[in-house]
Amino acid sequence: MSAARPGPAASAALRRLRSAAGNGGSQIQGTAGIPRRSRRRKSVAIAYEPGQGDRAEPQRPRWEPRDWREQLERIREMRRSRDAPVDEMGVQKCYDSGAPPQVMRYQVLLALMLSSQTKDQVTSAAMLRLRQHGLTVDTVLQMDDETLGQIIYPVGFWRNKVKYIKQTTAILKQKYGGDIPSTVEELVQLPGVGPKMAHLAMHIAWDSVAGIAVDTHVHRISNRLKWVKKETKHPEETRVALEDWLPRDLWKEINWLLVGFGQQTCLPVNPRCSQCLNQDICPAAKRH
């Protein structure tokens, strides 16, 4: 009865042993080539962190708020009618959509500057009056401060805004050829333009999402829903906290959703919790 042939792995091992014996151990000691065993060792080392004998620890799951997807869907449902002030008179409704793109972008920026600390209804009315005078970089530069103030009154801090609008418009003319900057970093360098305005300008004027636009409504509601890992004191803190976990494809929508929700239901004082679909899963809800 003939002996069984060794398998491929055993045959390879036998050949290595015979080669080592025939060469006086040169397979192990020789300098002609890199030993097979050493080559195997180096290929295995690639699976580890450089210089480490242990495997790298797996990344921990990213933090995200409890129930946030359900809360978001319910807010979408509450906002389905699109009848909040921001929907009817927000910045996206204030510019002349038929104007040349450069003029349209300038009007968006001015509407944002006027909207700070001002109700949408007041901003919308002021923008309408400005547009009746021909709202372009050149017309604003030619307008004296008193006239500009009379047109935009009674927006909040209108005297300061007259100054900022004239300064910013001059910069746009001199530095950007009458257009507005196309980055958040450049936009926030303009007098009277903050981070929220810059991100909204990117959204509306440039159709680009560079970050989340966080105003007082988004800031308040994010803290009430515990959408921030720890309480935040300022809108810019809230923006950073939200961007850390909220999927990027929601960054543009979240401002519109929460602003209208904050205007109609989740009010700053005496929120209408009894009318809110999130009452049973909102950490801040009044359930009595």
Side-chain angles (χ1 to χ4, degrees):
M1 187 174 180
S2 60
R5 289 187 178 184
S11 297
L14 286 171
R15 282 197 298 273
R16 286 197 298 273
L17 287 172
R18 286 169 186 156
S19 176
N23 292 323
S26 64
Q27 184 69 19
I28 299 173
Q29 302 294 337
T31 59
I34 301 173
R36 291 178 184 271
R37 182 178 294 178
S38 298
R39 208 161 40 233
R40 279 202 307 276
R41 246 188 235 117
K42 289 189 177 181
S43 67
V44 171
I46 296 172
Y48 298 88
E49 289 294 321
Q52 299 293 326
D54 298 326
R55 291 185 182 276
E57 292 185 8
Q59 289 187 341
R60 294 180 180 179
R62 177 174 291 187
W63 178 87
E64 60 180 40
R66 179 181 178 182
D67 298 326
W68 76 269
R69 293 183 186 276
E70 181 66 23
Q71 291 165 341
L72 179 64
E73 283 304 317
R74 294 183 186 185
I75 292 173
R76 282 179 175 145
E77 176 62 26
M78 288 183 279
R79 293 282 286 116
R80 190 169 58 172
S81 60
R82 295 174 179 260
D83 55 0
V86 70
D87 301 308
E88 299 170 354
M89 290 168 282
V91 168
Q92 76 281 1
K93 299 285 188 180
C94 289
Y95 63 87
D96 180 3
S97 59
Q102 184 169 304
V103 174
M104 178 273 291
R105 290 191 287 268
Y106 175 65
Q107 292 183 1
V108 168
L109 183 61
L110 250 64
L112 287 166
M113 294 176 73
L114 292 175
S115 70
S116 176
Q117 303 294 310
T118 304
K119 291 185 179 297
D120 288 329
Q121 298 92 323
V122 177
T123 300
S124 177
M127 281 296 295
L128 182 59
R129 293 191 296 272
L130 280 170
R131 286 170 54 188
Q132 289 170 346
H133 284 73
L135 184 50
T136 67
V137 166
D138 290 331
T139 57
V140 170
L141 288 176
Q142 292 165 9
M143 197 179 293
D144 61 74
D145 289 6
E146 183 179 355
T147 301
L148 180 57
Q150 290 172 349
I151 294 172
I152 69 172
Y153 179 85
V155 299
F157 304 99
W158 63 272
R159 290 186 178 85
N160 286 337
K161 289 177 182 178
V162 166
K163 178 178 65 176
Y164 293 146
I165 287 171
K166 295 300 287 286
Q167 290 174 346
T168 287
T169 304
I171 292 170
L172 298 181
K173 178 76 170 179
Q174 295 163 7
K175 190 174 180 180
Y176 298 98
D179 209 339
I180 73 171
S182 59
T183 67
V184 169
E185 291 75 18
E186 291 175 292
L187 283 163
V188 294
Q189 297 301 315
L190 298 171
V193 178
K196 180 207 76 171
M197 299 179 207
H199 285 294
L200 281 175
M202 293 298 294
H203 293 180
I204 301 169
W206 292 110
D207 193 26
S208 174
V209 180
I212 300 172
V214 177
D215 71 346
T216 182
H217 296 291
V218 179
H219 171 65
R220 177 181 71 256
I221 295 167
S222 295
N223 276 275
R224 284 180 176 174
L225 291 174
K226 302 296 184 186
W227 281 9
V228 289
K229 198 169 185 179
K230 59 180 182 179
E231 184 182 3
T232 54
K233 301 295 184 182
H234 308 287
E236 190 61 7
E237 285 183 71
T238 304
R239 179 188 65 79
V240 173
L242 287 174
E243 289 178 4
D244 189 53
W245 67 268
L246 189 69
R248 194 179 181 92
D249 60 353
L250 298 175
W251 286 10
K252 187 173 182 178
E253 178 192 21
I254 205 68
N255 175 271
W256 167 78
L257 277 176
L258 296 190
V259 170
F261 179 55
Q263 290 176 335
Q264 293 183 307
T265 306
C266 198
L267 306 178
V269 180
N270 298 322
R272 297 166 180 165
C273 297
S274 61
Q275 302 174 19
C276 181
L277 298 181
N278 278 324
Q279 185 180 17
D280 61 325
I281 53 175
C282 174
K286 298 175 182 176
R287 299 184 175 88
H288 51 76

